[in-house]
Amino acid sequence: MIAEVIVDIAHSEVDRVFDYNFKNGEVRLGDRVEVPFGKMKTEGFVIRVKSESSLSPEKIKGIIRVLDEFPVLSEETLSIAKYIKDEYHVPFAAALRLFIPAELRGGRVKDKVVSYAVLKDGISPFEMVASLRKGSTAQANLIGYLKDEKKVLTSVIGEKFGYQTLKKLEERGFIEVVREKAGRVPYREMLSFSKTVSLSDEQISAIKGIENTDKTVSLLFGVTGSGKTEVYLRIINDVLKKRKTAIMLVPEIALTPQMLKQLRARFGDSVSILHSGLSVGEKYDEWIRLKTGEAKIAIGARSAIFAPLSDLGLIIIDEEHDGSYDAESSPRYKTIDIAKKRAELSKCKIILGSATPSIDTFDRALSGEYYLAEMKNRINGKHLPEFDIVDMRKEIKRGNNGIFSADLRENIAEVLKNGNQAIIFFNRRGYSRQVICRECGYVAKCENCDISLNYHKDGNVLKCHYCGATYKMIKACPECGSVNLSYDGAGTQKIVDEIKKLFPTARILRMDNDTTSTKEGHFKILKEFSDKKADILVGTQMVAKGHDFPSVTLVGILDADMSLYFSDYRSNERTYQLITQVAGRCGRADKKGIVVLQTYNPDNPTIKFSVSYDFKGFFEREKAVRKFTGFPPYALILRIMIESKDDEKALSALKEVYMKEKELFDKNREKFLFFNKMKSPVKRLNGKFRYQVLMRLHGDYRELKNAVYSAALSEKNKDVLIYVEENPSNLF
Ligand code: ADP
Ligand code: ZN
Ligand code: ZN
């Protein structure tokens, strides 16, 4: 028998199929095998089994051994991996690796073994007890206990009856200790009782609509607090009843303990949690539980889309607008693409859920490509919180140069007085330093692109990250002449210090990248806040995620404009989403909520649409802007990145790549909206020099796109890294 093998070396030079023969026993499609490769041994994956090879027999080497008891890849996984390889132009091995826990490769996991005690066959428990010496009550009790329980962990017996007792009975030949592989089920403690709720009318019609539509993808467009989770749970339940399985994706698992709790409460151990914080062994065990069908629901962040489930009946992508669904390192896949491929192969449905869908998704829902299920109201007639918009320019005129407006201070005082809770949201992102005039709200923008410029200390210049244009740093505002320019915001710690000064007794929690670096960081902070051990939670984007804290009555948005000026074509979209999502954290239970939104641009259309919860209005305007300026979904942005520790090598690779791409550009000018080569906005990162060729395509660009990839990736130099990004959200 001949096996076609992909060796587990993700390098373009060995990215092809190798034939191996197998003489002893059987080799199956999807098996992981050990094979000789050159002078060494390596692992590989069997992607096809055939009876003959076109190579002459003496050239074919033999498989050394099959590595696992079962094939790790299925036919479905192989097709998806093939799709990823073609779509994102990566080596087959790199695509296959996505489907297998890294722990399995290279044999790094050791099975965890636990021991159980059972009564020996052949002698009845009655006879055992009768043969004991008088007064051996503990031994007699243990025999009785095992007679009822059959098989009990030795650790449990040790606690209840003492290890001595167990040992004596083992020596007598009455008890046998068996050792078995254990499943490590993480977050078991999260099991709690689930309350049953009766569905709202909107939930009922959403469920019916989604279950009955013949469209593959449904968008569940429901305002914050409309009860989307309950809709997911009911549909999952129906899927399980049909003996099918489900994948549920969330942006970041550490930020969604409530979702986990509810899934666990409803479905117990058939839920498997795939979480980067799990130990090596735990990850592996969860994967096995899914693979063997013991677990039927996989919940996790983006990579859970590769969960090894068969009979897939449903894929849910919660908060589908979230940026974390785009992979940032190779293979740079978009989760929705993989979901669609899986859905096509297993004929299952996809639900995208959000209160603030992405422009692209909503566009498809309106056009009829996706089914649209809407939930316009919060559960139990609760209202969405009202906004109090504070014009920070006026605060400055009044002599308040601080971070907090008078309104926000008053509202915080009120919250503290009434024993409620507040969330203070502060938006900050690396590599973004926009120049904003603190007197009039003017923002420095690129003349070509209408995208805000970034301040670069290096050279004291302003740069556009989309076209590379460079401008001299301004000394004063060109609109009003003020020198009160902001281009370097405060950090979260500074905000916490400020609140402490204003409210010395307030108990404050801070949540940002610095405070959540440990494994349990997010859980701990969220739990403390939810247990009301703090009054105020200060944080970055993390506080805007789907949390459900009943006591939160105030949300403060410190600098609503900040994200408007990220050098990102999606900055309006991101701003709308952030404002709506963070506002959605308050007033969710009995108490009314208020959102104090501080801005230098109260008239900005995005801010106006978000404070009136007018998503459709926002959507229409944003679509028009994108069409006019030639950005997605009306164009495709491609960025070819060229990085090297050696500046000269990077530059010469850039020249080569540019020449090849320029040929494509010259032949297809009508399909290009933009084409240029330049230094990357951040010229040097992690010791590497960075260059890029940036382009925007429109029209029917499918083939052209593949040609762009091929031209870029054909340039090979082991000291230079070249990769292509599609619609990157961060052009640093
Ligand atoms: P969303 O994800 O849409 O923001 P959630 O799913 O978090 O909203 O639901 C908001 C709150 O409403 C949660 O506390 C949830 O337990 C509760 N809830 C959901 N559906 C119902 C219902 N039918 N009856 C009562 N409470 C509900
Ligand atoms: Zn000004
Ligand atoms: Zn520009």
Side-chain angles (χ1 to χ4, degrees):
M1 221 170 8
I2 305 290
E4 290 188 352
V5 172
I6 296 287
V7 293
D8 191 11
I9 302 170
H11 200 289
S12 52
E13 259 140 57
V14 295
D15 186 26
R16 57 196 171 85
V17 177
F18 295 93
D19 281 359
Y20 284 91
N21 64 40
F22 195 61
K23 297 206 174 83
N24 318 312
E26 197 195 1
V27 50
R28 296 150 298 189
L29 182 83
D31 265 333
R32 228 162 45 94
V33 290
E34 189 178 24
V35 291
F37 192 74
K39 288 199 178 88
M40 48 177 210
K41 287 179 197 168
T42 183
E43 288 177 12
F45 306 100
V46 176
I47 62 157
R48 210 180 135 206
V49 179
K50 54 190 182 185
S51 50
E52 273 169 42
S53 170
S54 56
L55 296 172
S56 59
E58 69 278 6
K59 282 202 172 145
I60 302 178
K61 292 185 192 169
I63 287 174
I64 301 168
R65 63 190 175 111
V66 174
L67 289 165
D68 312 288
E69 290 159 19
F70 48 85
V72 293
L73 298 165
S74 64
E75 214 157 314
E76 188 203 349
T77 6
L78 284 169
S79 330
I80 301 169
K82 175 92 178 29
Y83 164 81
I84 292 170
K85 161 189 156 52
D86 295 340
E87 182 72 17
Y88 304 106
H89 302 261
V90 292
F92 208 159
L96 289 170
R97 283 177 185 175
L98 294 167
F99 293 88
I100 299 167
E103 293 67 32
L104 191 65
R105 298 173 34 234
R108 275 180 286 141
V109 205
K110 298 271 173 299
D111 285 322
K112 181 178 159 193
V113 175
V114 287
S115 44
Y116 296 93
V118 288
L119 288 180
K120 274 251 177 88
D121 287 341
I123 163 166
S124 78
F126 182 76
E127 286 171 280
M128 288 181 190
V129 174
S131 75
L132 293 174
R133 257 198 302 152
K134 273 222 171 79
S136 311
T137 15
Q139 294 182 42
N141 287 345
L142 176 51
I143 292 169
Y145 179 73
L146 279 177
K147 179 179 149 263
D148 297 335
E149 303 288 329
K150 306 285 187 260
K151 183 173 158 190
V152 182
L153 282 173
T154 51
S155 57
V156 172
I157 292 180
E159 263 171 46
K160 281 190 193 279
F161 302 92
Y163 283 103
Q164 274 307 314
T165 318
L166 175 65
K167 194 136 180 272
K168 278 183 198 149
L169 287 173
E170 200 186 348
E171 282 164 5
R172 276 181 150 249
F174 289 172
I175 283 181
E176 187 181 4
V177 173
V178 290
R179 294 163 67 75
E180 283 180 10
K181 267 199 271 184
R184 286 154 276 219
V185 182
Y187 304 106
R188 251 235 167 87
E189 69 285 1
M190 280 206 157
L191 269 173
S192 64
F193 291 100
S194 109
K195 55 174 188 202
T196 39
V197 292
S198 49
L199 296 172
S200 71
D201 290 346
E202 285 191 324
Q203 285 172 324
I204 292 172
S205 56
I207 294 169
K208 269 200 193 137
I210 293 169
E211 290 188 335
N212 294 333
T213 178
D214 48 15
K215 291 178 181 158
T216 303
V217 186
S218 294
L219 169 63
L220 178 58
F221 173 41
V223 299
T224 57
S226 57
K228 293 187 284 293
T229 313
E230 190 60 37
V231 172
Y232 302 147
L233 295 178
R234 299 283 175 129
I235 299 180
I236 291 176
N237 199 39
D238 291 342
V239 164
L240 294 186
K241 272 197 228 148
K242 289 187 212 145
R243 305 197 162 274
K244 300 224 163 173
T245 60
I247 295 176
M248 161 122 202
L249 303 180
V250 293
E252 199 172 338
I253 196 115
L255 290 172
T256 42
Q258 281 151 342
M259 186 74 84
L260 297 187
K261 246 191 200 159
Q262 293 192 46
L263 271 174
R264 268 259 193 269
R266 208 65 66 95
F267 305 112
D269 280 352
S270 40
V271 180
S272 166
I273 297 167
L274 303 171
H275 177 8
S276 61
L278 298 181
S279 72
V280 169
E282 283 173 334
K283 268 189 209 160
Y284 174 72
D285 291 348
E286 287 299 276
W287 190 83
I288 293 284
R289 288 196 329 116
L290 289 163
K291 179 88 192 161
T292 55
E294 184 193 327
K296 305 210 175 314
I297 305 163
I299 177 170
R302 144 183 106 217
S303 61
I305 193 65
F306 303 110
L309 285 162
S310 39
D311 302 315
L312 194 60
L314 178 68
I315 299 169
I316 296 169
I317 306 183
D318 189 31
E319 311 288 0
E320 68 86 27
H321 58 273
D322 198 277
S324 70
Y325 289 120
D326 294 351
E328 275 162 7
S329 59
S330 178
R332 291 179 170 72
Y333 63 89
K334 313 267 176 203
T335 305
I336 180 72
D337 292 343
I338 315 291
K340 283 179 180 169
K341 194 72 199 168
R342 278 201 94 155
E344 179 194 317
L345 291 169
S346 49
K347 303 198 175 44
C348 80
K349 286 194 171 173
I350 300 174
I351 306 176
L352 307 176
S354 181
T356 53
S358 70
I359 297 292
D360 184 59
T361 298
F362 201 67
D363 199 30
R364 290 171 197 258
L366 286 192
S367 76
E369 182 184 338
Y370 297 169
Y371 175 76
L372 177 62
E374 245 186 291
M375 300 200 293
K376 295 180 181 163
N377 302 293
R378 280 191 159 180
I379 284 291
N380 295 338
K382 308 264 158 42
H383 290 289
L384 287 165
E386 262 168 44
F387 279 92
D388 169 12
I389 301 150
V390 179
D391 184 341
M392 291 305 276
R393 296 171 303 186
K394 288 188 185 149
E395 291 285 315
I396 287 172
K397 286 207 180 93
R398 268 200 257 146
N400 175 9
N401 247 316
I403 303 170
F404 294 91
S405 61
D407 274 17
L408 186 51
R409 284 201 309 258
E410 276 165 31
N411 275 290
I412 294 177
E414 186 83 1
V415 163
L416 295 174
K417 198 179 84 196
N418 297 328
N420 292 327
Q421 289 180 301
I423 291 180
I424 305 293
F425 168 63
F426 172 70
N427 196 4
R428 180 138 179 80
R429 200 162 83 169
Y431 306 111
S432 50
R433 292 164 186 278
Q434 289 70 39
V435 180
I436 303 176
C437 169
R438 299 191 69 198
E439 306 260 336
C440 77
Y442 162 85
V443 176
K445 287 192 171 180
C446 175
E447 286 165 17
N448 310 322
C449 306
D450 196 37
I451 276 182
S452 9
L453 297 169
N454 269 247
Y455 173 68
H456 286 249
K457 218 172 178 172
D458 184 7
N460 195 35
V461 289
L462 296 173
K463 272 191 193 171
C464 172
H465 288 186
Y466 279 85
C467 74
T470 306
Y471 304 79
K472 262 208 286 196
M473 174 61 183
I474 49 172
K475 291 203 172 67
C477 170
E479 300 275 321
C480 75
S482 163
V483 291
N484 194 353
L485 302 175
S486 135
Y487 50 94
D488 200 3
T492 22
Q493 184 54 46
K494 192 168 161 207
I495 291 156
V496 171
D497 294 344
E498 201 74 10
I499 303 178
K500 276 192 186 141
K501 257 189 247 158
L502 295 168
F503 305 100
T505 58
R507 296 167 306 162
I508 307 167
L509 279 171
R510 176 181 145 209
M511 183 146 117
D512 56 23
N513 280 330
D514 297 337
T515 59
T516 53
S517 50
T518 61
K519 182 177 165 188
E520 299 292 334
H522 298 96
F523 274 125
K524 221 176 120 232
I525 295 171
L526 293 172
K527 177 138 193 355
E528 276 181 40
F529 194 60
S530 136
D531 292 345
K532 296 196 74 174
K533 294 203 175 109
D535 310 301
I536 304 174
L537 175 64
V538 178
T540 53
Q541 279 92 313
M542 297 173 193
V543 303
K545 307 283 155 136
H547 316 300
D548 194 24
F549 302 117
S551 293
V552 172
T553 55
L554 169 69
V555 163
I557 303 178
L558 290 188
D559 206 338
D561 314 333
M562 192 98 78
S563 64
L564 278 175
Y565 310 122
F566 285 156
S567 339
D568 178 349
Y569 71 93
R570 272 175 287 212
S571 55
N572 289 334
E573 186 177 342
R574 296 273 183 248
T575 304
Y576 186 94
Q577 289 162 355
L578 276 170
I579 294 176
T580 312
Q581 293 292 345
V582 70
R585 295 318 110 210
C586 83
R588 290 171 76 90
D590 311 327
K591 297 165 188 162
K592 208 168 159 248
I594 181 164
V595 184
V596 178
L597 179 144
Q598 302 187 164
T599 170
Y600 293 97
N601 293 273
D603 296 325
N604 176 283
T606 299
I607 293 196
K608 285 193 141 163
F609 283 122
S610 56
V611 300
S612 51
Y613 297 104
D614 183 4
F615 178 78
K616 283 175 190 160
F618 168 72
F619 170 80
E620 291 302 337
R621 180 179 186 277
E622 184 61 16
K623 234 182 94 169
V625 170
R626 299 271 182 93
K627 192 165 192 173
F628 183 72
T629 51
F631 276 95
Y634 299 99
L636 173 75
I637 305 174
L638 289 177
R639 175 162 87 148
I640 304 170
M641 287 298 296
I642 295 152
E643 302 180 353
S644 176
K645 291 213 157 99
D646 183 330
D647 198 15
E648 265 172 41
K649 283 186 184 161
L651 257 174
S652 80
L654 171 73
K655 275 191 201 122
E656 291 294 321
V657 170
Y658 178 75
M659 260 165 35
K660 287 178 195 163
E661 301 293 349
K662 178 87 172 30
E663 254 176 59
L664 289 171
F665 171 64
D666 288 335
K667 274 192 218 137
N668 301 278
R669 282 204 183 220
E670 76 291 350
K671 289 188 182 165
F672 281 83
L673 285 167
F674 178 86
F675 178 78
N676 210 347
K677 66 170 190 300
M678 60 186 91
K679 280 181 186 159
S680 294
V682 177
K683 268 186 300 195
R684 217 169 154 211
L685 193 67
N686 300 327
K688 282 185 176 164
F689 294 89
R690 311 166 82 235
Y691 296 90
Q692 64 190 35
V693 180
L694 194 59
M695 58 194 93
R696 289 208 311 271
L697 313 180
H698 69 160
D700 179 14
Y701 49 67
R702 200 120 196 119
E703 265 174 47
L704 178 58
K705 179 185 109 175
N706 286 334
V708 167
Y709 263 100
S710 304
L713 302 180
S714 67
E715 176 61 27
K716 289 193 168 81
N717 181 328
K718 68 175 171 33
D719 297 323
V720 183
L721 176 68
I722 300 177
Y723 57 92
V724 183
E725 295 172 324
E726 293 182 29
N727 294 341
S729 48
N730 209 342
L731 280 194
F732 61 83

